[in-house]
Amino acid sequence: MQFPEGFLWGTATASYQIEGAVNEGGRGTSIWDTFSHTPGKVYRGDTGDIACDHYHRPEEDLDLMADLGLKAYRFSVAWPRIQPDGSGPPNQEGLDFYRRLVDGLRQRDIVPMLTLYHWDLPQALEDRGGWTNRDTSERFAEYTGFVYEALADTVPFWITLNEPWVASWLGHGYGLHAPGKQDAASALAATHHLLLGHGLALERMRSVGNPGDNQLGVTLNLHPALAARDRDADEEAARRVDGQANRLYLDPLFRGEYPEDIVSYYGGRGVDGPPVRDGDLEKISGPVDFLGINYYFRHHVRDAPDETPSQIPFSDLAVRPIVPHAGEKTAMGWPVEPDGLSEMLVRLKDEYTDAPIYVTENGRAVHDYADPNGDVKDEERISYLDSHFRAVHGAMEQGVDLRGYMVWSFLDNFEWAEGYSKRFGLVYVDYATQKRTPKSSARWYAGVIRRNGPDG
Ligand code: IFM
């Protein structure tokens, strides 16, 4: 099984999950600093204060990436390092940190893929309403301009947003992520302002010009939604979940409209829809050069008419998500379903876009530990990745233009509300000493990259 020549094999991380050094380099406070320091929000009270201490160890981490033979590395920029208060002139120390990182990648022949927003909104903007305030979209475009002007000569891949569903719904609808709101109207407003921010950021980057052949795109987390039982009501429930989780993002980005069924579902319950103004949808649906997809599992759902809105995702849709009894689960409790990824890729091609696609995240949590010899033998992760690589290869045989695959994650890291209890890395991190140990999967993945495919 061979992948096309030049296929971009890489790994991914995000700023708050690995950097630490939250009070250094002129960085301002982000909503995740506030949230993680609020008792009861994150498992065991973990915070990103130190995380993997990557801010102080970029060279060591870059050398590890080179050892693995990575072709690409996806990382995110912490907005509060660039604009500590969310607006105004850029903080040069913040830009310099990322300049050193991308130069270090280039010296090692690793292609940088930069995400502008992976959830660490400056707290100062949250204090003014955050993503529920339309002005945040403008501020995002301003911030994007500073980063793009500084790094466009070196970074060929630019991702505006990571997983706007998570930022909107886990952050504003269900309260499980920062800023911890629990209100569907806020989630719909955040959705619209994130997408508008994406559109404005694209315009801003394009107005700066294109020093190389830079590719601009956005990353969505997409999950096929399936009826848990063979019942019409569950089919309907799956359609609502597909509407909120997938179409609420795909339709405005690729068709310039919000899905009518979802807007009227919420409208029928007295919840205001996305606060669209004239011209917004044209901006949101401006062409992208690629689409990033993060894939982890399918949603299996059943109709739950008595459900009332709570912290359980989709409760406000009168839906109960379930995990099928049969089949393997990850340490997150997520079902292992490689076919869901190929299904989604084929659907994107058939229903939404001809743009090239990159898997910008996929991977699994394992209950990893270092054995007495210091080895971390994560056979489960190897078989998970192997099955997903084979699934995407199948989708490519059906005509999907997939150009690269970023494994989540390079390092074990701060898994948001789960703190450090969940390990997704190819490289094990001993948080007490910050020692990095490539797991068996890292060695295996290095072989996949060398052979340009999982066989051999
Ligand atoms: O750790 C996260 C990442 O930040 C976004 N996508 C899903 C990953 C695993 O939950």
Side-chain angles (χ1 to χ4, degrees):
M1 179 182 293
Q2 279 292 299
F3 280 68
E5 210 185 304
F7 191 80
L8 217 51
W9 298 101
T11 62
T13 62
S15 44
Y16 190 72
Q17 295 181 272
I18 65 164
E19 285 180 3
V22 291
N23 294 316
E24 291 177 52
R27 179 186 181 278
T29 303
S30 81
I31 55 174
W32 268 95
D33 297 298
T34 308
F35 191 76
S36 65
H37 280 269
T38 306
K41 298 297 185 192
V42 174
Y43 185 67
R44 281 194 307 228
D46 289 346
T47 73
D49 289 2
I50 299 173
C52 307
D53 199 31
H54 169 73
Y55 186 80
H56 295 125
R57 302 162 194 264
E59 289 294 317
E60 177 186 350
D61 288 339
L62 287 162
D63 286 345
L64 256 173
M65 291 178 210
D67 281 352
L68 298 182
L70 297 186
K71 305 276 184 218
Y73 174 58
R74 174 178 177 234
F75 64 98
S76 78
V77 171
W79 186 347
R81 287 200 189 282
I82 309 303
Q83 289 180 300
D85 295 324
S87 60
N91 167 34
Q92 193 57 44
E93 240 185 303
L95 290 173
D96 289 347
F97 170 69
Y98 295 107
R99 164 55 71 181
R100 286 195 298 277
L101 181 69
V102 297
D103 285 350
L105 289 167
R106 285 305 200 184
Q107 281 153 14
R108 291 164 179 83
D109 275 335
I110 302 171
V111 175
M113 185 178 268
L114 184 154
T115 304
L116 287 153
Y117 187 70
H118 200 126
W119 312 345
D120 37 8
L121 184 74
Q123 180 63 41
L125 292 182
E126 182 60 35
D127 296 342
R128 286 181 251 146
W131 287 110
T132 65
N133 177 354
R134 188 178 171 94
D135 183 57
T136 300
S137 316
E138 302 283 349
R139 300 281 66 74
F140 179 63
E142 179 186 66
Y143 149 72
T144 295
F146 292 137
V147 182
Y148 196 73
E149 276 164 20
L151 302 177
D153 61 332
T154 317
V155 176
F157 291 99
W158 291 77
I159 295 170
T160 53
L161 307 173
N162 180 68
E163 302 185 359
W165 181 87
V166 173
S168 302
W169 290 93
L170 294 191
H172 299 78
Y174 306 117
L176 298 168
H177 276 198
K181 292 191 180 135
Q182 215 180 306
D183 168 50
S186 296
L188 289 165
T191 292
H192 185 63
H193 295 140
L194 280 154
L195 293 176
L196 180 61
H198 155 81
L200 295 173
L202 284 185
E203 283 183 358
R204 186 65 62 101
M205 288 190 276
R206 292 202 167 112
S207 76
V208 172
N210 200 342
D213 182 21
N214 290 352
Q215 309 288 300
L216 314 182
V218 60
T219 280
L220 303 178
N221 58 310
L222 298 171
H223 306 246
L226 292 186
R229 300 164 299 187
D230 184 14
R231 294 190 185 165
D232 289 349
D234 285 5
E235 294 290 348
E236 268 310 304
R239 180 156 175 78
R240 292 197 293 281
V241 168
D242 180 55
Q244 193 222 65
N246 302 319
R247 290 182 284 115
L248 189 61
Y249 300 88
L250 288 165
D251 287 11
L253 285 166
F254 294 104
R255 297 180 178 164
E257 61 192 22
Y258 282 106
E260 185 44 45
D261 56 332
I262 289 301
V263 174
S264 50
Y265 180 88
Y266 281 109
R269 278 149 191 82
V271 175
D272 288 342
V276 181
R277 294 196 193 160
D278 278 356
D280 286 0
L281 285 159
E282 286 71 34
K283 291 190 168 66
I284 290 171
S285 59
V288 286
D289 301 317
F290 68 94
L291 172 65
I293 155 168
N294 293 354
Y295 173 78
Y296 290 91
F297 56 94
R298 294 187 183 104
H299 291 307
H300 298 259
V301 299
R302 56 186 188 205
D303 185 46
D306 297 332
E307 199 77 12
T308 50
S310 71
Q311 285 200 306
I312 300 174
F314 312 123
S315 50
D316 55 336
L317 294 173
V319 164
R320 181 49 82 128
I322 60 127
V323 178
H325 282 301
E328 195 185 352
K329 322 282 182 297
T330 73
M332 294 291 280
W334 297 344
V336 175
E337 303 189 314
D339 292 348
L341 175 53
S342 40
E343 269 164 47
M344 187 49 85
L345 289 172
V346 171
R347 177 179 177 194
L348 292 173
K349 166 180 81 70
D350 290 347
E351 296 180 21
Y352 286 102
T353 181
D354 298 331
I357 299 178
Y358 291 81
V359 172
T360 41
E361 282 181 31
N362 170 252
R364 66 166 286 172
V366 175
H367 295 293
D368 294 308
Y369 59 93
D371 72 14
N373 298 320
D375 297 329
V376 184
K377 295 180 181 142
D378 56 341
E379 297 304 319
E380 303 94 320
R381 184 170 286 107
I382 293 176
S383 88
Y384 177 97
L385 291 173
D386 183 78
S387 63
H388 286 73
F389 295 164
R390 288 174 197 280
V392 299
H393 195 268
M396 290 162 81
E397 285 174 341
Q398 294 176 64
V400 171
D401 184 7
L402 188 75
R403 304 276 180 96
Y405 204 112
M406 305 299 127
V407 170
W408 185 268
S409 181
F410 171 51
L411 301 171
D412 291 336
N413 60 48
F414 177 78
E415 176 54 25
W416 308 111
E418 304 289 339
Y420 297 100
S421 66
K422 300 290 187 276
R423 294 179 177 272
F424 275 90
L426 293 172
V427 174
Y428 185 85
V429 177
D430 176 342
Y431 294 108
T433 60
Q434 292 295 344
K435 179 167 184 275
R436 275 83 162 127
T437 304
K439 303 177 190 176
S440 305
S441 60
R443 301 286 166 223
W444 171 83
Y445 189 43
V448 170
I449 298 172
R450 260 195 322 274
R451 297 187 298 273
N452 198 22
D455 284 339

